[in-house]
Amino acid sequence: MTPHTPQHPLQAVLFDMDGTLVDTERLWWEAVEQVAGRPLTEDDQPDVLGRSVEHTAAWLAAATARPAADLAAELHREFADRVRTGIVPRPGALDLLDALAAAGIPAALVTASPRAVADVVLDALGADRFAVSVTADDTARTKPAPDPYRAACRALGVDPAACVAVEDTETGVASAEAAGCAVLAVPSLAPIGTAPGRTVRDSLTGVTVQELRQMVAPELRVMSWNLWLGGSEVDDHRAKQLKAILESGADVVGLQETGGTSAQELAEALGWHHHRAGENLGVISRHPITARFGDPDVGFYGAAGVRIAVAPGREVDVWTAHLHYTPYGPYEFAFDGLPAPELIAHEELRLTQMRDALDRIAGSSTEGVPVVLVGDFNCPSHLDWPDMAWPVTKAAEDAGFADSYREAHPDPVAEPGHTWSPIHPVHEDGSGRPEPQDRIDYVLHRGLTVRDARTLVTGTPRPWPDVADNDWPSDHAAVVTTFVLPAR
């Protein structure tokens, strides 16, 4: 099925200059040492690194009794002379600027240096690489105040929350974060600590546009998959499961019918984290698991969950559930002709299991942490049957969960999203009756934004019972949803 893919939310990348794009922080340090007439120490960093010429001149004036205006002029001269002869782009800086240009994402220069110095650097880097430049001359206050970054965003017509600022000093980071930007910190001379909404890297080398997009609005791709008795009905099932997970691009997979060991074995093969719950349920995640929820000795049916750390300060709870398979409503409707009241009455066991799962989720939830509930519910959705209020999915909706597949594909006729069953075109009792095809596997969520959702089956599975050589090692289709985490 064709996923819907809205525009990526990253609107612009805002670069500090000194020490971030070009190796001028060292030149500035040397210029201050020359004017100060002494070597600088670590104690001097707060008044030198990331600071404007005027700030550092005032600081020197207080210590030397020399006029601040004279010191500022001398600092300008010493720094500009060094910049003209010693500009060296930081590793990875030009590659990242080129990648942003290729992706159509504007870049801005936001510096506490004066316009005269910034223009020298812009000429060296290529002024056409930047849509906007903001210097110490352009705002009433400079870093660590938010004014420079806010001015750049206004000039670009973008939302600070949709921008990444790239900085190398605590002063610059404070400015960008006060403006509301996500921050990629690449420390030059002094370390920078981690914090929510902040990513710290040693270098710009290897930084990709996709990583920057994730910093603005981290994505999480969630897969729900019933492995069908661990996959044992299909030859070489473990390798086929790994291939399907990798090709799906999933970050976390909620599993049902694991056969006991599948979650651990898949996670170990992928180098991922995992949680095993009983003999049937499991979660595997490329992101670290920070907490585990639910009864670890859950029976064949039930629910289990984990909390994963998607990005610094950004966590999501992911639960997987498996509900009882009998009586099966689509059979009773198609084969037995039962009316709606009887069909709904027969959902009582699954409804009890769903309510138990929802109670456990409520008991472990933390305010501000989104929740995803995936699973094989073994029942249709009230969103797909206009005249049938299937109570299990309705209970999840009443608890605040939205159906990601139906958000992405609102029309159940145009996009039915069937997950049962890619290997059962006819009923397996030998009668030749068509097997009711339906959507009984779900990725539900509370607190996220759906970017796309799709069902997944690889290859063209042969029908039951000739399934041993199938590429797809399950009797269910998987459901894969890409979410965007909420703004910080």
Side-chain angles (χ1 to χ4, degrees):
M1 295 185 177
T2 303
H4 80 287
T5 53
Q7 291 295 310
H8 289 286
L10 178 63
Q11 294 180 359
V13 180
L14 317 173
F15 289 91
D16 172 59
M17 185 179 77
D18 302 318
T20 301
L21 284 176
V22 290
D23 193 8
T24 53
E25 207 67 77
R26 173 183 52 84
L27 303 179
W28 171 241
W29 190 264
E30 292 173 357
V32 177
E33 285 186 324
Q34 177 67 31
V35 175
R38 65 173 177 83
L40 299 178
T41 69
E42 185 176 339
D43 291 340
D44 300 317
Q45 289 178 354
D47 290 297
V48 177
L49 297 183
R51 292 293 189 174
S52 67
V53 172
E54 289 69 25
H55 176 95
T56 303
W59 168 70
L60 286 174
T64 64
R66 294 176 59 191
D70 293 349
L71 288 166
E74 191 172 349
L75 286 169
H76 274 297
R77 183 171 60 253
E78 291 289 343
F79 184 48
D81 287 347
R82 286 169 169 79
V83 167
R84 290 187 187 94
T85 58
I87 287 179
V88 178
R90 297 288 290 169
L94 296 183
D95 288 341
L96 181 54
L97 286 167
D98 289 343
L100 290 168
I105 298 171
L109 188 73
V110 183
T111 178
S113 292
R115 171 62 61 185
V117 174
D119 285 345
V120 173
V121 174
L122 285 168
D123 287 342
L125 294 177
D128 60 336
R129 295 178 184 273
F130 301 93
V132 167
S133 62
V134 176
T135 74
D137 301 338
D138 300 321
T139 57
R141 299 182 300 171
T142 189
K143 304 173 186 180
D147 304 32
Y149 280 103
R150 288 176 177 169
C153 291
R154 284 195 300 271
L156 290 168
V158 298
D159 180 355
C163 297
V164 173
V166 187
E167 275 284 355
D168 75 307
T169 66
E170 287 278 11
T171 301
V173 167
S175 173
E177 290 182 343
C181 301
V183 170
L184 170 60
V186 187
S188 55
L189 296 180
I192 298 174
T194 59
R198 183 190 307 170
T199 302
V200 182
R201 292 277 296 264
D202 293 334
S203 166
L204 291 178
T205 300
V207 174
T208 66
V209 173
Q210 182 58 27
E211 287 179 85
L212 297 177
R213 286 174 170 146
Q214 288 280 79
M215 292 173 200
V216 171
E219 289 184 351
L220 183 69
R221 183 167 293 176
V222 180
M223 180 175 179
S224 181
W225 198 10
N226 183 313
L227 295 182
W228 191 20
L229 303 176
S232 57
E233 298 290 333
V234 177
D235 294 341
D236 200 20
H237 58 273
R238 189 69 78 228
K240 293 173 180 177
Q241 289 167 348
L242 290 167
K243 182 173 183 288
I245 291 169
L246 288 170
E247 290 181 351
S248 76
D251 300 303
V252 57
V253 186
L255 300 169
Q256 308 90 41
E257 292 197 33
T258 62
T261 62
S262 295
Q264 180 176 347
E265 292 175 9
L266 288 168
E268 289 176 349
L270 292 164
W272 287 13
H273 310 269
H274 81 282
H275 172 49
R276 169 180 172 175
E279 296 299 311
N280 179 45
L281 295 171
V283 180
I284 61 174
S285 170
R286 72 168 72 246
H287 298 297
I289 292 174
T290 60
R292 291 167 168 82
F293 306 123
D295 180 1
D297 298 319
V298 63
F300 192 81
Y301 298 108
V306 300
R307 180 164 294 169
I308 59 174
V310 179
R314 315 297 293 277
E315 293 183 311
V316 176
D317 291 351
V318 180
W319 285 74
T320 181
H322 192 197
L323 309 185
H324 206 285
Y325 78 104
T326 60
Y328 186 53
Y331 288 170
E332 293 187 315
F333 176 81
F335 300 154
D336 303 331
L338 293 188
E342 290 187 50
L343 293 173
I344 290 175
H346 289 179
E347 292 295 312
E348 189 60 35
L349 174 58
R350 276 185 289 271
L351 182 58
T352 298
Q353 292 170 339
M354 172 57 78
R355 286 172 173 163
D356 178 71
L358 294 171
D359 287 344
R360 292 181 183 275
I361 291 170
S364 66
S365 294
T366 299
E367 185 176 358
V369 177
V371 183
V372 179
L373 170 60
V374 312
D376 171 10
F377 294 177
N378 274 310
C379 64
S381 171
H382 66 289
L383 299 176
D384 298 350
W385 291 51
D387 300 322
M388 182 68 185
W390 293 104
V392 171
T393 55
K394 190 67 171 61
E397 182 180 82
D398 291 344
F401 284 90
D403 185 328
S404 67
Y405 189 85
R406 275 293 158 252
E407 283 191 78
H409 309 284
D411 186 346
V413 176
E415 299 282 1
H418 294 155
T419 60
W420 180 265
S421 165
I423 66 164
H424 288 293
V426 297
H427 196 47
E428 62 181 340
D429 66 357
S431 65
R433 294 178 295 180
E435 176 75 4
Q437 301 295 302
D438 221 307
R439 191 170 69 98
I440 62 173
D441 300 81
Y442 302 91
V443 176
L444 311 181
H445 75 97
R446 188 171 65 201
L448 296 167
T449 298
V450 175
R451 173 151 290 157
D452 67 70
R454 58 194 174 98
T455 58
L456 177 65
V457 174
T458 58
T460 305
R462 285 179 290 278
W464 175 263
D466 186 22
V467 298
D469 291 332
N470 279 348
D471 290 332
W472 184 249
S474 177
D475 57 348
H476 287 246
V479 184
V480 182
T481 298
T482 302
F483 293 107
V484 179
L485 271 64
R488 297 182 307 281

